[in-house]
Structures are given as C-alpha cells and as structure tokens.
Amino acid sequence: MTSTDRRTPAPLADQRALLFDLDGVLTPTAEVHMRAWSRLFTPYLAHHGVAPYAEQDYFAYVDGKPRYDGVRSLLEARGIDLPEGTPDDDPTLDTVCGLGNRKNAEFTAELQEHGVSPYPGSVRFLTAAIDAGYEVAVVSSSANAKQVLRTAGIIDRFDVIVDGAVARADGLAGKPAPDTYLDAATRFGLTAAQCVVVEDATSGVEAGRNGAFGLVIGVDRGAGADALREHGADVVVTDLADLLPDLSPADSGKTA
C-alpha cells in the first residue's frame, strides 16, 4: 500500500462483526491444502518438464483464491496453457477445472487421513468475541469449509458461512475481490465499515482493503507480515489471542 492509500482503521472494540477466513485463521487447514496442492502439482509439473512445485508456490499463486483461480495462476506461472473445462469435469481430465477437482479429491483424502483441530488461540479469541456480542461469520474460498468446520468441532459457532459453494451458486467473485466478505456483512445487515476482515492470505487482506472494511487483521502463518501489510492488513499478529485485550467488554450491547 502506498502512502497515498493510507487510512485510519477503526478500533476493534468499535466494530460489530468479525468475518473470519477459515484456512490458516481458524484451523491449520492451510497445511492440509498445501499438502494437497503438492500431491497434485509435484507429479504434474514434473511430467511437463517445468520448474518443480515448491512451497512458496502455494503462497504466491493459490493461497486464499478459489480453487480454479489457483490452478490457473500456477499454470500461467509455469507457461502451461490448458482449456478451462467446466466444474463438472472428471478429475482425470487435463483442464483447469479437472485439475481443480483432482486437487479437491487430494484435499478430502488428506483431511480424512489426518483430521484437523482449530488453533487454540483462535478458539479463545472466537469465544471471547461471541461472549462480547460480536457477530461472527466464516468467509472462505474453499468449497470444503463446512466439512472442515464440522471436523474441527466449531461449525455450531457460525450462523453465517459464505464458502466456495455459496460463491459459485450466487455468482460472487473470489478474493481479492471483496464480494464474498461484502455478502457476509449484508447477511448481518451491516456495512463493510462496521466489520472486521480476519485473513492470513495476501489475497484475503487485499479483499478487505478493496471492500473498505473497518479493520483488516492479518494473521501471519507464513505469508509474511510485510506482505500482509503491503496488500492491505491494518494489523498483523501471529496468534489471534494477542488481540483479546482489544475486544469490547461483554456488556457493550453490540447485538442490541
């Protein structure tokens, strides 16, 4: 963000709702996604004789984006041009959607094999936020968000879940466009200025900035604090529990 883009973020205590990304914010499913992307692209890129898949490719090309956008971005970076295909493509097809569906199968396999538990600090923050009267939502590019939340045992905390399936059904553009976050705010009857975006991906904090949300919190799980700030984070932490003192008190009447 340049000096001309600087703004004064709203204090966390003054906000009405917290809109959480899922993977890497509430649950360490970013690690599950990273392994799934590696299972997809390591053999695929080797077969095409291009630069091998590396961990940094996840952060540079796919983190936080809708699955097909991530596939497209990484392929473009390697100079591989594939037909788009359709979301119904078989995972064996050599199309953008086919590869995306293959990645989804790899993700499901990883989740079933290893499970997932939420970050303890994120659960503490989430619980305190609900007790303090904040509305809370999950806004995730993943079509597997409900499966992950259910596996992690926290799905009952959220009345609003805007995931990849909702975005596709409602024609919402993916991050870094702010559309999915704006949709969640609207479901609470709130404006963007009344809501906090909580993200670990550069594309996600950029979505928060693009939507003019009241506060954009970056959680550094590997993208880097500088990169998160550059793309739109007002505040960067390594654990959401660090923000517990900034929540408004439980008698603030936020839900009144």
Side-chain angles (χ1 to χ4, degrees):
M1 194 162 22
T2 67
S3 58
T4 58
D5 295 325
R6 296 194 184 279
R7 67 194 188 111
T8 302
L12 176 57
D14 292 347
Q15 299 301 91
R16 297 281 303 280
L18 293 161
L19 313 179
F20 295 92
D21 177 44
L22 176 59
D23 304 328
V25 171
L26 295 174
T27 58
T29 30
E31 299 169 10
V32 184
H33 282 289
M34 289 174 74
R35 293 194 298 269
W37 283 108
S38 181
R39 285 169 63 153
L40 170 68
F41 274 123
T42 296
Y44 187 83
L45 297 181
H47 175 74
H48 282 266
V50 296
Y53 181 79
E55 181 176 306
Q56 191 54 39
D57 288 323
Y58 174 81
F59 296 107
Y61 303 114
V62 303
D63 188 19
K65 297 179 181 177
R67 191 188 323 139
Y68 301 140
D69 290 350
V71 170
R72 198 179 303 106
S73 294
L74 196 144
L75 291 177
E76 288 174 356
R78 294 299 198 276
I80 299 174
D81 184 24
L82 291 183
E84 184 71 13
T86 69
D88 295 328
D89 279 0
D90 189 275
T92 61
L93 288 179
D94 207 18
T95 63
V96 168
C97 291
L99 286 180
N101 294 343
R102 196 182 313 172
K103 183 268 172 181
N104 193 51
E106 299 287 10
F107 175 84
T108 299
E110 283 283 343
L111 193 63
Q112 290 174 343
E113 290 169 17
H114 304 290
V116 67
S117 297
Y119 292 108
S122 296
V123 172
R124 288 176 59 202
F125 180 78
L126 173 63
T127 300
I130 293 171
D131 289 345
Y134 291 84
E135 301 283 5
V136 296
V138 166
V139 180
S140 173
S141 297
S142 174
N144 301 299
K146 290 183 179 179
Q147 179 186 6
V148 171
L149 288 166
R150 193 173 292 110
T151 301
I154 56 174
I155 193 169
D156 60 332
R157 309 287 186 95
F158 301 97
D159 292 327
V160 171
I161 300 171
V162 180
D163 62 5
V166 171
R168 182 188 303 173
D170 293 351
L172 302 174
K175 307 168 188 177
D179 301 37
T180 50
Y181 277 113
L182 292 170
D183 183 74
T186 299
R187 290 169 188 256
F188 289 131
L190 299 174
T191 66
Q194 295 173 300
C195 300
V196 181
V197 166
V198 189
E199 267 282 356
D200 72 310
T202 55
S203 60
V205 294
E206 190 173 343
R209 179 184 63 185
N210 291 340
F213 283 84
L215 179 66
V216 181
I217 296 172
V219 184
D220 184 11
R221 307 287 192 193
D226 290 342
L228 289 168
R229 290 190 183 95
E230 179 183 346
H231 283 82
D234 300 308
V235 177
V236 177
V237 296
T238 56
D239 192 315
L240 283 177
D242 295 343
L243 296 173
L244 285 169
D246 297 326
L247 290 171
S248 60
D251 61 356
S252 61
K254 283 189 178 293
T255 58

